[in-house]
Amino acid sequence: MKIVIGGQVEKKEIEALVKQYGGDAVEVTVKNDLEAAMALKTGQADYYLGACYTGGGGALAMAIALVGKPNCATISMPGQPPTQEKVNQAVAQGAKAFGFTGDHKDKAVELIMTALTK
């Protein structure tokens, strides 16, 4: 599974968390937003993870623009931490790009990787 990290904040920390939860089953690359979204659009990546301060703005703006809103999911926002139910629902609906707030990165990545590696 190929995962690309975009977004505005915490990229290196998110990369480490993806490797921690995905192990040998994942290949992770950190890119700027445009490159990350293009990698998802062109099939060079299977999934996109990004963080910003709102969970949906800078985390997903380029992904929404390039792969479309139906393929993107904001799984946490300020004051609204991610839940496994919300992540599972996003995955079931076909989301390929996931946005969350930087302060929720630990739980968000854990829940996303749990859903993606089932």
Side-chain angles (χ1 to χ4, degrees):
M1 176 185 326
K2 295 179 182 179
I3 297 179
V4 66
I5 309 298
Q8 298 297 306
V9 298
E10 315 284 352
K11 290 181 183 185
K12 285 296 183 186
E13 293 87 349
I14 294 167
E15 176 187 29
L17 288 165
V18 169
K19 288 178 180 177
Q20 175 185 333
Y21 291 110
D24 293 336
V26 298
E27 178 183 318
V28 188
T29 308
V30 176
K31 297 181 178 283
N32 69 43
D33 289 358
L34 179 58
E35 292 172 337
M38 283 300 295
L40 183 63
K41 181 178 179 147
T42 61
Q44 295 172 23
D46 301 309
Y47 297 99
Y48 169 111
L49 276 64
C52 68
Y53 296 109
T54 64
L60 288 173
M62 290 307 300
I64 290 170
L66 293 176
V67 300
K69 182 113 172 92
N71 295 307
C72 302
T74 298
I75 61 157
S76 86
M77 297 187 311
Q80 296 179 7
T83 64
Q84 192 69 65
E85 179 182 355
K86 189 170 191 173
V87 173
N88 290 346
Q89 181 180 20
V91 171
Q93 292 174 346
K96 299 289 183 189
F98 302 91
F100 45 89
T101 59
D103 61 329
H104 293 150
K105 68 183 175 295
D106 296 309
K107 192 65 173 176
V109 173
E110 176 187 0
L111 297 178
I112 292 166
M113 294 309 297
T114 297
L116 296 180
T117 57
K118 281 187 177 179

